[in-house]
Amino acid sequence: MSQYFRIHPANPQQRLLNQAASFLRQEGLIVYPTDSGYALGCQVGNKAAADRIRQLRGLGNRHEFSLVSRDLSELSLYAKVGNSAFRLLKALTPGAYTFIFKATREVPRRLQDPKRRTIGIRVPANTVTQALLTTLGEPLISSTLILPGEDIPLTDPEEIRDRMGGQVDLIIDGGYCGFEPTTVVDLVEDMPKVIREGKGDTTLFKAQS
């Protein structure tokens, strides 16, 4: 069975965060809360866990993963970001957005869009996730927890445990965090392009169009 940690959504217990980071460093696959629902996560270099995410979600090889980071300090290592795009990110992060950029060579090709060579970047506004990323000291590869044949992500941690116990290494119960997906913004070109409207406010982008 999967390990199950109840981590306080406002005051995360450091002892449990340390253990969660240890699971990740030992090539584990976890379920964790974000500001737009629960997600599956693993280390960037963990190919086996990324393959498990594809299997659990029924994803093909064309699926583009997201990199979830605590802040923008690691961004230039993984994404090619211009000055105007960086200013936009500073204004909108942390928040419920996924930003699409050209990936750098630090991103394994298996995690990129196979044609465009892009990667999604996220800086979520979730206290548990922020604390976990700080403890781990590196970003996570992430994918929303939507099971095959379903349209919305799982939102109840105990239901996740009942349905997925044994299929992941750790489930972090950080309380209810909604199910509305992130707003996806393509920043490969100079002009931002909203690919999907979700939880993140799109007013700024509409004003620029």
Side-chain angles (χ1 to χ4, degrees), residues 44-45 67 74 76-79 103-109 111-112:
V44 174
L67 277 172
E74 300 159 322
S76 62
L77 183 62
Y78 299 101
T104 69
R105 293 181 179 180
E106 295 298 322
V107 180
R109 285 203 166 193
L111 303 176
Q112 304 173 27

Side-chain angles (χ1 to χ4, degrees), residues 30-95:
I30 70 168
V31 172
Y32 70 102
T34 77
D35 50 0
S36 59
Y38 277 83
L40 294 156
C42 66
Q43 284 184 302
V44 174
N46 190 345
K47 181 181 183 301
D51 289 342
R52 289 168 67 189
I53 292 175
R54 292 185 192 277
Q55 183 178 24
L56 286 170
R57 288 208 49 199
L59 301 171
N61 291 331
R62 292 181 57 84
H63 179 73
E64 181 178 359
F65 286 92
S66 293
L67 277 172
V68 176
S69 180
R70 60 183 171 177
D71 55 36
L72 301 178
S73 62
E74 300 159 322
L75 190 59
S76 62
L77 183 62
Y78 299 101
K80 298 177 182 179
V81 184
N83 291 335
S84 60
F86 187 79
R87 288 193 295 269
L88 185 63
L89 264 64
K90 284 186 70 175
L92 295 176
T93 58

Side-chain angles (χ1 to χ4, degrees), residues 1 15 37 41 65 73 79 93 115 117 158 160 165 168 182 192 204:
M1 289 294 291
R15 173 181 59 85
F65 286 92
S73 62
T93 58
K115 288 187 176 180
R117 298 303 178 195
E158 294 189 358
I160 294 171
V168 296
T182 60
L204 176 63

Side-chain angles (χ1 to χ4, degrees), residues 96-100 181-186 193-198:
Y97 297 90
T98 299
F99 298 99
I100 307 298
T182 60
T183 290
V184 179
V185 183
D186 190 321
K193 182 187 299 183
V194 177
I195 304 300
R196 180 184 69 195
E197 290 199 34

Side-chain angles (χ1 to χ4, degrees), residues 6-13 17 33 126-129 131 173-175:
R6 283 191 174 91
I7 297 184
H8 196 282
N11 297 291
Q13 304 95 312
L17 293 170
N126 178 280
T127 301
V128 173
T129 304
D173 180 347

